[in-house]
Amino acid sequence: MAGHTDNEVMIKAPFDLVWNMTNDLENWPQLFSEYASVEVLQRTGDTTTFRLTMHPDEDGKVWSWVSERETARDVRTVWARRVEPGPFAYMNIRWEYEEESEGTRMRWTQDFEMRPDAPVDDPTMTDHINRNSRIQMDLIRDKIEQRARETVGA
């Protein structure tokens, strides 16, 4: 069995601003509420390998892993995968951006499978990712829209 999520948000801001802010990895701790730090390990062309570290969970555990992310601005898509999958057998993420009349639609799809010894199963992780994606996407939308308003007012 495997898990799959598909979430999107409309951001009332131009594509360039949405793309630039959401692909500025070093700024992710200010963009996402769940990340404590990002360490870029390697950049080669449009591919970046980096370590993400989360804030401690409710049990005080700090989760950290290495991911690889490839950006393709010309097709407005980002592909990512966990290099250190941790409790996942695999985790693949796709970010898609679509410019529309009211702004930019950002969509995240995630395909994954939990390892048999993981603390949760695929359906439980699917529910968690769907809940958390909505929270993070709303935060990101609000921050980007605020930046867009500040830019227009400048």
Side-chain angles (χ1 to χ4, degrees):
M1 187 171 176
H4 173 80
T5 65
D6 189 336
N7 293 279
E8 63 180 45
V9 65
M10 174 56 69
I11 303 171
K12 294 177 183 168
F15 166 74
D16 286 336
L17 180 61
V18 176
W19 177 271
N20 291 339
M21 286 184 70
T22 58
N23 287 291
D24 178 3
L25 295 178
E26 289 87 349
N27 195 47
W28 274 13
Q30 287 72 49
L31 193 61
F32 291 81
S33 65
E34 61 189 343
Y35 300 140
S37 66
V38 176
E39 177 189 3
V40 173
L41 304 173
Q42 181 179 355
R43 275 201 169 94
T44 306
D46 292 327
T47 302
T48 305
T49 304
F50 59 101
R51 175 171 295 284
L52 272 175
T53 302
M54 298 184 77
H55 294 289
D57 65 16
E58 55 277 350
D59 297 324
K61 178 158 177 53
V62 175
W63 296 91
S64 182
W65 64 90
V66 173
S67 287
E68 182 180 82
R69 185 173 169 85
E70 179 184 355
T71 59
R73 187 182 183 108
D74 59 330
V75 293
R76 300 176 181 206
T77 304
V78 176
W79 298 271
R81 68 179 184 87
R82 285 192 181 203
V83 176
E84 292 177 357
F88 296 91
Y90 64 89
M91 165 62 89
N92 298 313
I93 306 169
R94 182 177 173 125
W95 293 37
E96 297 172 286
Y97 302 80
E98 186 176 338
E99 197 162 26
E100 299 181 8
S101 61
E102 61 269 24
T104 304
R105 184 173 308 280
M106 182 175 69
R107 178 180 178 201
W108 297 344
T109 54
Q110 294 172 266
D111 292 293
F112 61 90
E113 187 173 339
M114 302 308 294
R115 290 189 349 217
D117 61 341
V120 297
D121 60 12
D122 293 336
T124 302
M125 182 54 73
T126 299
D127 289 343
H128 171 75
I129 290 173
N130 278 326
R131 277 192 316 276
N132 191 57
S133 291
R134 181 81 264 142
I135 291 166
Q136 296 306 315
M137 289 179 130
D138 287 350
L139 284 170
I140 291 167
R141 178 201 60 218
D142 293 349
K143 290 176 182 180
I144 294 173
E145 288 180 356
Q146 176 63 36
R147 175 77 57 84
R149 285 190 298 274
E150 291 168 357
T151 303
V152 169

